[in-house]
Amino acid sequence: MPGLFLFGVILILVVSLLFASVKMIPQGEAAVVERLGRYTRTVSGGLTLLVPYIDRIRARVDTRERVVSFPPQAVITQDNLTVAIDTVVTFQINDPAKAIYGVDNYLVGVEQISVATLRDVVGGMTLEETLTSRETINRRLRGELDAATAKWGLRISRVELKAIDPPPSIQQSMEMQMKADREKRAMILTAEGKRESDIKTAEGEKQARILSAEGEKHAAILNAEAERQAMILRAEGERAAKYLEAQGEARAIQKVNAAIKSSGVTPELLAYQYLENLPKIANNDAATMWMIPSQFGNSLEQFAKAFANKDDDGVFRYEAQRVDQDTKDLASEGDTDQWFDTSTDPELARALAEARAVANKHVDEPDPTQHRAPETPIANPLEIERPSDLPQPE
């Protein structure tokens, strides 16, 4: 029985010695080992053997990168305005022994140094500069904290200002200022838009008036040109009509003369025709009397002596002159169907075709940027061959 008790005591002692000499340190942690109250070494990641009752673990330190958010701190700016700023600090412990032996509480130390540095930096800036200079403040805070915590075995990797809260009255004033600034920009943009719209409208009206004036000018030019061409064609037509009328009258006179010559008219027939037409002269409501000229007999006598031959018995007898064949042909009734046929005259047919083509052609508006081509004289469709002895039109 006493042997069994002794075995139990020895077993308990062995187990306690094993528990005191073997320690498990997880990955991402470091342990500071002391021997008899003095720093010996730093162990991390795995099993660690200690001398029982001589070595002990002073503290376990998390070596992973940590993100710590500090509560808002009241900071006074250069223009005497109090703002609340809360910061976020990202750091990592590189030397666990310094973090344990160099400072009592490194988290409190980091917080206090960040607050002091923040007040120093923001105290030299106005509120507007503070709100717009976050990057500058972050850079200065990180530099100050990294230099101050290097002896504590810490490495400051990042410092961020999470929020900057000015007083409510200042926030209201800032909102009013921002609202007024937005309204100002809106009014400026509205005015700019109205000005651009007025300019575009004026430009459009100007272009419309210019185009309208150009159209009216071209229309007036075309109307004047058409009127000129119409007047030229009317003048040419009247000239051709007068010429044709004169030629017709001349042809009629020639035919009448040829007919008279061919018919062999005698003075007796002329006298008879004269006497026959005398009653027609008196056939007038306004005529109350008519007279036969006293020289009528003398006129017939002179006409007979001039154109007649004296006979053996002393009487003047008129003998018609011999008419040649050309006069007879002229006096005979000719073929008048060919008088207005233009198919035998190629020049006249060509002029008529050109006139029809010009009349049916669509009038396009001339291009004002191009020089006007010289006009081609329009052929007169009524122009016919004129005798060389007649005066030619200018």
Side-chain angles (χ1 to χ4, degrees), residues 360-374:
N360 296 328
K361 183 179 179 182
H362 177 70
V363 180
D364 294 330
E365 183 177 351
D367 189 359
T369 60
Q370 298 180 357
H371 295 289
R372 186 182 179 89

Side-chain angles (χ1 to χ4, degrees), residues 214-256:
E214 288 289 336
E216 292 178 358
K217 183 183 79 171
H218 292 161
I221 292 173
L222 291 177
N223 290 334
E225 185 69 21
E227 183 65 23
R228 185 177 73 89
Q229 294 292 337
M231 292 176 66
I232 291 174
L233 292 177
R234 282 195 296 268
E236 290 290 337
E238 291 175 0
R239 181 178 63 178
K242 290 179 179 180
Y243 182 79
L244 289 175
E245 183 179 359
Q247 194 175 43
E249 291 178 357
R251 182 72 174 271
I253 293 173
Q254 290 178 359
K255 194 169 185 65
V256 171

Side-chain angles (χ1 to χ4, degrees), residues 107-349:
L107 288 178
V108 176
V110 170
E111 180 181 1
Q112 296 302 320
I113 292 176
S114 64
V115 171
T117 306
L118 185 63
R119 288 176 178 173
D120 180 58
V121 173
V122 176
M125 297 182 178
T126 62
L127 177 60
E128 186 175 358
E129 292 175 349
T130 303
L131 294 174
T132 58
S133 304
R134 288 175 175 265
E135 187 64 28
T136 303
I137 297 174
N138 294 337
R139 187 168 55 252
R140 290 191 59 181
L141 281 175
R142 180 181 177 279
E144 294 289 339
L145 286 174
D146 198 23
T149 58
K151 59 183 179 179
W152 299 342
L154 304 181
R155 182 181 64 84
I156 307 298
S157 59
R158 191 177 182 85
V159 179
E160 291 287 344
L161 299 182
K162 189 167 64 173
I164 300 177
D165 298 327
S169 60
I170 301 300
Q171 291 184 3
Q172 186 177 3
S173 300
M174 292 174 62
E175 290 176 358
M176 294 176 63
Q177 180 181 1
M178 293 175 62
K179 181 179 179 181
D181 188 55
R182 289 192 183 95
E183 291 178 353
K184 173 184 174 182
R185 288 199 298 268
M187 293 176 65
I188 292 175
L189 291 177
T190 303
E192 288 288 336
K194 189 175 183 302
R195 188 189 69 170
E196 292 293 332
S197 175
D198 293 341
I199 291 174
K200 295 295 183 182
T201 303
E203 288 289 337
E205 292 179 355
K206 174 184 174 183
Q207 293 295 330
R209 291 180 181 177
I210 291 174
L211 293 176
S212 177
E214 288 289 336
E216 292 178 358
K217 183 183 79 171
H218 292 161
I221 292 173
L222 291 177
N223 290 334
E225 185 69 21
E227 183 65 23
R228 185 177 73 89
Q229 294 292 337
M231 292 176 66
I232 291 174
L233 292 177
R234 282 195 296 268
E236 290 290 337
E238 291 175 0
R239 181 178 63 178
K242 290 179 179 180
Y243 182 79
L244 289 175
E245 183 179 359
Q247 194 175 43
E249 291 178 357
R251 182 72 174 271
I253 293 173
Q254 290 178 359
K255 194 169 185 65
V256 171
N257 188 21
I260 293 172
K261 289 182 180 181
S262 299
S263 62
V265 179
T266 60
E268 292 82 358
L269 179 59
L270 292 177
Y272 176 76
Q273 289 291 330
Y274 181 75
L275 291 175
E276 189 179 19
N277 289 322
L278 280 178
K280 296 180 180 180
I281 299 175
N283 190 12
N284 191 354
D285 295 338
T288 57
M289 59 180 298
W290 60 282
M291 298 177 64
I292 298 176
S294 60
Q295 294 84 6
F296 179 69
N298 296 331
S299 298
L300 290 177
E301 183 181 358
Q302 294 297 329
F303 179 79
K305 289 181 180 180
F307 294 95
N309 296 322
K310 190 175 182 181
D311 201 356
D312 295 338
D313 53 1
V315 180
F316 289 90
R317 299 184 183 277
Y318 178 79
E319 294 181 1
Q321 296 180 358
R322 187 174 182 179
V323 182
D324 56 1
Q325 186 62 35
D326 294 336
T327 303
K328 292 181 180 180
D329 294 339
L330 182 62
S332 63
E333 183 177 2
D335 186 7
T336 60
D337 295 337
Q338 303 296 326
W339 286 7
F340 302 98
D341 186 10
T342 60
S343 60
T344 58
D345 190 350
E347 188 69 21
L348 182 58

